[in-house]
Structure formats: structure tokens, C-alpha cells
């Protein structure tokens, strides 16, 4: 019963080396076993002990040895080899795992690629060539299988980079009882017949130019937008937050001469303003007086020079100081000097300033 319950894994590497392995921890608890093998048929077998063991936590879990014929007999025994625990006879040719393809070539013609490899010397009719490819825009491999040892596929975009890998597959059940395939040949990267280091290098000069122009236009557009926003922000800022003038410039004498004393500054400036207004108005008054003197001479009627002085701007602007002196009531028959003239005034006359 134990002999029939043991499962073994048998691999014939390209009909050159054999590897037999078993689950030692599940089948032989805390016991180290020994392995024997022989090629050939007949009653008089010559058993050979294993010289190269595979280990699993210091326990023998398999054996690696050279392939010497199509028929193989194996025997698993206890540690000293006196008791047989498992035995089996099988065809080694039904457990062949092929080697990776050799001398792989790629031939490109427009959108068609032909992939070829060297044909094995033995049992080439039992092999299939499997090709897988994908572009950097696809996540899944596209697969194609044909007889050994050439495959032709079309429909490739010359503007895309593709990844390729190939392997050999053993036919089941005509040649193998287990579906063994070779390891994948080294992955290669192609674009329109040109071999690349990787698909990350898939950048053509045209695309580089497009990228540079796009980036330049984007930068210029951003600068223009920022300039427009800056101008609008300045206008908004001026309308929402107008600038507050610094009072120290138009009122320098208030802070420099009067040390910030507003009442003292107002008293001084009231006198200055009034004097400035009088000086501004005097030339006009003198001109009017001279005009009336000439009229009197022309008419031949002597009489005192009487003139009502009016300061329209002072009246219209309701200036406080002008209002205080708007009406001057001189005594009767008095002479009022003004701007170098002596004006005779009586009770019925008044002067408006």
C-alpha cells in the first residue's frame, strides 16, 4: 500500500538529465531514505545509487542523474538500502522537458514578423513553437503556436514597441504524458524592425518635437494667463482697497513746524489763506477803481469815489472767515482806506468782502 501511495515528479531535461523528486516530509516522517536507479530491461538489473541528492531541510527529497536510455527503473529504500519502500518502471522519453529555443531570429517586413529558431536534432516533430507578444499599451500577452521551428505573424503597428518571447512545447499525449514546456527565451523589444533595449525607449524624433512644442505652448499660455490675472488683480485691488495718501507730505508743516498741533496749525493757516485771497483779489479791485476814475473825468461830474467791493467766490463758497467779514459797518462820514485808496463812506453804505 505504501509503494502505491508515493507520488513522484519525473523530469527528463531535453533527454540529457533526469530529475526524480518526492515529498519526503509527508511520506517519510523523520526518516532519511536512499535512492537507486537503472536503465534497461530484464531481470538482471544493475542498480546504481544516487550520487547527487536534492535536499529538503537536510532530508533527501530527490535525485539528479544522467539520462542513459529510454526506459528507467527507480527504487526508493530505507536509509541503509536494505528495505525497498517504493519502485517504478517508466519510459523516460514521455517526461521530456525541452530546452529553450536557440539562435532565435526576427525578420520584419512591413507589418509582418517572422520568428525562427534552430531545429533540434532529435524529435523535432514532437515540438511546437509558441510565440507571445504585447505592446506597452496592452497588459495581456497575445499567444500564437505553430509547428517547430518558425512562426509568422502579421498586424503589427510600425509606430508601436512590442515585447516578444518564445518557447518550445512538447506535444501531449503523442510524445509526452506531462505537458512540459521549455523556459522562455530572453524577452526582446522591437519597433518596426529595430531592436531596442526596452519599450521605454519608444520615443521617435517626431514625438520629441511634438512634446517640446506642446510644452513651449503650454508655458507661453500659462505666462499669458498669469499676466492677465496680475493686471486684473491690480485693478481690483485699486478699486477695492484704494491707496491711502500719506499725510506727512501735503501737511509737512503741521508735523515739522507745529509738532502735530492741529489748532495751532489752523490758526496760522487761516491768516495765510485770508492774506492770500486778499492779495489775489486786490489787482481786480484796483483796476475797477481806476476805471471809474476815468469815467468820472470823462463825464465832468466831480464827486467822491464810491465803490462796493464784492468777492463772489467768498460768498459762493461760504467760506467761514469770509462770512465773518462779509459786512463791514463803518461809522458815518468816515474814510475807509483800502489798497492805497481812501473811500468816503456814510451810514447808508457798506462794503462786502
Amino acid at each position: 500500500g505504501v509503494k502505491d501511495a508515493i507520488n513522484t515528479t519525473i523530469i527528463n531535461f531535453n533527454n540529457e538529465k533526469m530529475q526524480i523528486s518526492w515529498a519526503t516530509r509527508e511520506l517519510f516522517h523523520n526518516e532519511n531514505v536512499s535512492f537507486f536507479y537503472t536503465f534497461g530491461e530484464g531481470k538482471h538489473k544493475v542498480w546504481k545509487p544516487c550520487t547527487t541528492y536534492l535536499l529538503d531541510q537536510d532530508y533527501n527529497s530527490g535525485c539528479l542523474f544522467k539520462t542513459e536510455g529510454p526506459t528507467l527503473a527507480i527504487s526508493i529504500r530505507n536509509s541503509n538500502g536494505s528495505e525497498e519502500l517504493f519502485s517504478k518502471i517508466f519510459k523516460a522519453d514521455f517526461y521530456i522537458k525541452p530546452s529553450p529555443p536557440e539562435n532565435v531570429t526576427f525578420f520584419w517586413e512591413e507589418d509582418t514578423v517572422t520568428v525562427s529558431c534552430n531545429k533540434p536534432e532529435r524529435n523535432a516533430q514532437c515540438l511546437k513553437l509558441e510565440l507571445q507578444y504585447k505592446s506597452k499599451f496592452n497588459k495581456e500577452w497575445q499567444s500564437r503556436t505553430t509547428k517547430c521551428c518558425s512562426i509568422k505573424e502579421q498586424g503589427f503597428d510600425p509606430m508601436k514597441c512590442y515585447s516578444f518571447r518564445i518557447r518550445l512545447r512538447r506535444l501531449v499525449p503523442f510524445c509526452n504524458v506531462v505537458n512540459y514546456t521549455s523556459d522562455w527565451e530572453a524577452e526582446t523589444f522591437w519597433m518596426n524592425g529595430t531592436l531596442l533595449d526596452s519599450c521605454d525607449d519608444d520615443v521617435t524624433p517626431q514625438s520629441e518635437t511634438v512634446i517640446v512644442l506642446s510644452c513651449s505652448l503650454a508655458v507661453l499660455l500659462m505666462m499669458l494667463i498669469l499676466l492677465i490675472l496680475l493686471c486684473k488683480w491690480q485693478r481690483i485691488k485699486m478699486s477695492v482697497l484704494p491707496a491711502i495718501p500719506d499725510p506727512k507730505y501735503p501737511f509737512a508743516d503741521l508735523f515739522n513746524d507745529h509738532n502735530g498741533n492741529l489748532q495751532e496749525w489752523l490758526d496760522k493757516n487761516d491768516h495765510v489763506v485770508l492774506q492770500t485771497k486778499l492779495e489775489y483779489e486786490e489787482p481786480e479791485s484796483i483796476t475797477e477803481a481806476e476805471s471809474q476814475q476815468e469815467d468820472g473825468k470823462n463825464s465832468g461830474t466831480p464827486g467822491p469815489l464810491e465803490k462796493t467791493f464784492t468777492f463772489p467766490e467768498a460768498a459762493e463758497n461760504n467760506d467761514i472767515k469770509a462770512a465773518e467779514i462779509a459786512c463791514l459797518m463803518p461809522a458815518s462820514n468816515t474814510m475807509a482806506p483800502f489798497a492805497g485808496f481812501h473811500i468816503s463812506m456814510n451810514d447808508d453804505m457798506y462794503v462786502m468782502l
Side-chain angles (χ1 to χ4, degrees):
V2 176
K3 293 181 181 181
D4 296 334
I6 294 177
N7 292 325
T8 58
T9 301
I10 305 167
I11 303 176
N12 184 358
F13 291 102
N14 200 35
N15 214 19
E16 296 174 357
K17 287 186 177 181
M18 296 292 303
Q19 176 180 300
I20 313 297
S21 58
W22 55 87
T24 183
R25 286 184 296 175
E26 289 79 4
L27 299 174
F28 311 106
H29 301 285
N30 300 324
E31 181 180 358
N32 216 352
V33 297
S34 57
F35 179 83
F36 295 86
Y37 68 94
T38 183
F39 287 92
E41 300 178 1
K43 294 181 180 180
H44 303 286
K45 298 183 180 66
V46 179
W47 294 96
K48 296 181 180 181
C50 179
T51 57
T52 305
Y53 279 101
L54 304 177
L55 299 179
D56 181 7
Q57 296 183 356
D58 296 331
Y59 289 96
N60 297 335
S61 63
C63 181
L64 186 64
F65 52 94
K66 183 180 179 180
T67 303
E68 299 176 356
T71 303
L72 174 64
I74 60 174
S75 175
I76 299 177
R77 305 175 185 179
N78 58 7
S79 57
N80 58 17
S82 59
E83 181 183 358
E84 186 177 78
L85 303 177
F86 174 77
S87 63
K88 185 176 183 180
I89 299 175
F90 54 88
K91 290 290 186 180
D93 291 344
F94 287 168
Y95 297 87
I96 293 178
K97 177 180 175 66
S99 297
E102 297 179 354
N103 194 22
V104 180
T105 59
F106 288 80
F107 176 73
W108 288 78
E109 185 177 5
E110 295 181 354
D111 67 339
T112 304
V113 61
T114 302
V115 184
S116 304
C117 66
N118 285 350
K119 189 175 183 178
E121 297 180 357
R122 299 175 55 186
N123 300 324
Q125 69 278 4
C126 288
L127 296 175
K128 289 281 189 179
L129 181 63
E130 182 180 4
L131 170 68
Q132 287 190 348
Y133 60 91
K134 66 177 180 179
S135 70
K136 68 176 185 179
F137 303 103
N138 299 328
K139 296 181 179 180
E140 301 295 332
W141 288 97
Q142 304 295 320
S143 185
R144 173 78 184 276
T145 304
T146 186
K147 66 179 182 179
C148 186
C149 288
S150 179
I151 187 170
K152 187 175 183 179
E153 186 70 9
Q154 61 183 5
F156 294 98
D157 188 344
M159 301 303 295
K160 291 182 180 179
C161 178
Y162 292 89
S163 304
F164 290 91
R165 64 181 185 180
I166 64 171
R167 66 182 176 182
L168 292 174
R169 180 183 297 275
R170 186 81 172 178
L171 292 178
V172 177
F174 304 103
C175 299
N176 260 34
V177 294
V178 180
N179 187 16
Y180 283 146
T181 61
S182 71
D183 295 333
W184 290 105
E185 177 65 13
E187 187 175 350
T188 56
F189 306 92
W190 295 82
M191 179 177 174
N192 196 22
T194 303
L195 180 63
L196 304 176
D197 293 334
S198 69
C199 279
D200 295 335
D201 301 330
D202 180 16
V203 180
T204 61
Q206 181 180 1
S207 60
E208 288 181 354
T209 304
V210 171
I211 291 174
V212 171
L213 290 176
S214 301
C215 293
S216 302
L217 290 175
V219 171
L220 291 176
L221 182 60
M222 290 181 63
M223 292 178 63
L224 180 61
I225 293 174
L226 288 175
L227 185 61
I228 294 174
L229 292 177
L230 182 61
C231 295
K232 288 186 174 293
W233 168 247
Q234 291 295 335
R235 294 178 62 183
I236 294 173
K237 184 178 178 182
M238 291 180 64
S239 60
V240 176
L241 300 173
I244 300 175
D246 194 341
K248 73 178 181 178
Y249 295 107
F251 304 100
D253 54 345
L254 171 63
F255 298 97
N256 297 334
D257 300 339
H258 302 281
N259 214 11
N261 191 328
L262 181 62
Q263 186 60 44
E264 180 181 334
W265 179 80
L266 288 175
D267 293 342
K268 180 180 179 180
N269 280 275
D270 286 345
H271 173 71
V272 172
V273 171
L274 177 59
Q275 182 178 357
T276 303
K277 287 189 174 183
L278 289 175
E279 291 177 355
Y280 178 77
E281 299 290 348
E282 280 180 0
E284 182 180 355
S285 302
I286 294 172
T287 303
E288 293 180 0
E290 292 178 351
S291 176
Q292 284 200 2
Q293 286 180 357
E294 291 180 356
D295 292 341
K297 290 179 181 180
N298 295 333
S299 61
T301 305
L305 179 62
E306 297 179 357
K307 175 64 179 177
T308 302
F309 295 92
T310 305
F311 296 87
E313 288 187 8
E316 291 176 1
N317 294 332
N318 297 320
D319 186 69
I320 298 176
K321 287 298 180 178
E324 293 179 358
I325 59 174
C327 297
L328 298 178
M329 301 296 295
S332 60
N333 298 325
T334 59
M335 299 295 291
F338 187 81
F341 294 91
H342 294 278
I343 304 171
S344 176
M345 305 182 66
N346 54 29
D347 295 342
D348 297 330
M349 298 180 64
Y350 65 91
V351 177
M352 294 184 62
L353 298 180

